[in-house]
Amino acid sequence: MAHLVAIEPARHQQLYVLPEQVDVHAAGQNLIPVVPAELTHVATQLPLVLAKNGQTGQFVLAALTGFAPNENLLMQQGRWQGLYLPLQVQRQPFFVGKATPDADDYVVCIDLESPATGQNQPLPAGAEPLFLADGSETDFYRQAKQRLVQLLQGEQQRDALIEVLLQCQLLQPMSLDITFADQSTTRLNGLYSIDADKLAALAPEQVVQLHQQGHLAAIYAILGSAAQIYGLIARKNQQLAG
């Protein structure tokens, strides 16, 4: 269970993060939320899909990492095996919160229960403190906050992209039957992808508008990532063989 607290220099002078433990937060996630700015990186290793949030019914954009709940095929022996780690995992154990529900300003929070968080002294090997002895922020902490800013901006861009996809009726449900090497089968349901035929049928002015809005590159990244399903199947077959 996460234990989030707002970071305060006076209270958290000895707080540190173990970067090599950050990727363990990807374990048990078969869908990792992503934002448009990172789609070209993610699309080189994982399929990009859209799914509905079970609580809100809103669409989210995500990288598919497994074929069953809690299955992440890119996590092997507790380590992320992909070339690119999504921002949603990179930013761990930091979160954005508000001091009070009605506050306009954001505060940076940290999960004290994260395996990447510690306060023991002296610092263990590889640990990155958040503050220097004089109370000023370290470069590591400033970079962590910048990733949170990227995520906040990216979530706004993601919402705008999804709104456009819905307006242009470019989403289609995915229904994919897969047979693995041991002859076990699975069916992918509840996920959505880009309808390539409807995209091709858009009027030229609609395509130009998508480009001007900055959405076209993201759309093609999602489309092109579909081939990465075969790499994911290969990882599953290796797991079954092992």
Side-chain angles (χ1 to χ4, degrees):
M1 178 85 55
H3 178 200
L4 302 185
V5 298
I7 297 175
E8 300 176 22
R11 292 179 55 200
H12 300 118
Q13 180 69 35
Q14 296 184 324
L15 203 60
Y16 62 80
V17 170
L18 296 167
E20 71 273 13
Q21 293 295 321
V22 167
D23 56 359
V24 303
H25 289 277
Q29 293 191 59
N30 73 316
L31 287 170
I32 299 179
V34 292
V35 295
E38 60 183 337
L39 294 190
T40 54
H41 299 296
V42 179
T44 63
Q45 63 185 16
L46 289 167
L48 293 163
V49 298
L50 291 103
K52 284 188 176 180
N53 184 299
Q55 296 179 328
T56 66
Q58 300 295 312
F59 278 101
V60 295
L61 182 59
L64 180 69
T65 63
F67 299 105
N70 305 318
E71 178 182 65
N72 187 333
L73 294 168
L74 269 75
M75 291 295 292
Q76 301 293 330
Q77 298 179 339
R79 310 303 306 175
W80 176 266
Q81 300 301 312
L83 296 175
Y84 176 80
L85 187 65
L87 274 173
Q88 195 65 239
V89 182
Q90 286 187 43
R91 56 95 173 179
Q92 294 283 352
F94 299 99
F95 293 80
V96 171
K98 292 188 175 183
T100 64
D102 298 328
D104 294 327
D105 296 333
Y106 291 107
V107 295
V108 179
C109 300
I110 192 166
D111 178 12
L112 294 181
E113 296 299 320
S114 166
T117 305
Q119 299 188 68
N120 300 326
Q121 297 295 319
L123 290 177
E128 293 283 357
L130 306 191
F131 300 102
L132 299 173
D134 62 3
S136 60
E137 297 176 355
T138 62
D139 288 341
F140 172 83
Y141 184 37
R142 284 194 290 268
Q143 291 168 5
K145 292 200 294 184
Q146 182 58 38
R147 281 192 287 271
L148 292 176
V149 171
Q150 287 179 284
L151 268 179
L152 283 174
Q153 295 173 341
E155 287 168 359
Q156 294 175 345
Q157 295 163 354
R158 174 206 61 201
D159 292 345
L161 170 63
I162 291 173
E163 183 178 352
V164 165
L165 294 177
L166 291 171
Q167 288 175 349
C168 295
Q169 299 181 337
L170 291 178
L171 294 183
Q172 64 176 359
M174 292 176 61
S175 183
L176 185 62
D177 293 308
I178 301 171
T179 301
F180 299 113
D182 66 349
Q183 300 308 304
S184 62
T185 62
T186 191
R187 170 175 287 185
L188 287 182
N189 284 320
L191 302 177
Y192 295 78
S193 61
I194 303 292
D195 189 324
D197 292 334
K198 287 186 178 180
L199 177 63
L202 290 179
E205 57 269 21
Q206 289 178 291
V207 176
V208 170
Q209 186 176 26
L210 287 175
H211 173 68
Q212 291 174 338
Q213 293 172 335
H215 298 314
L216 202 55
I219 290 171
Y220 280 119
I222 296 170
L223 271 174
S225 74
Q228 301 301 336
I229 194 74
Y230 298 107
L232 209 56
I233 293 171
R235 287 180 180 273
K236 179 66 173 181
N237 285 334
Q238 289 173 356
Q239 182 189 78
L240 292 169

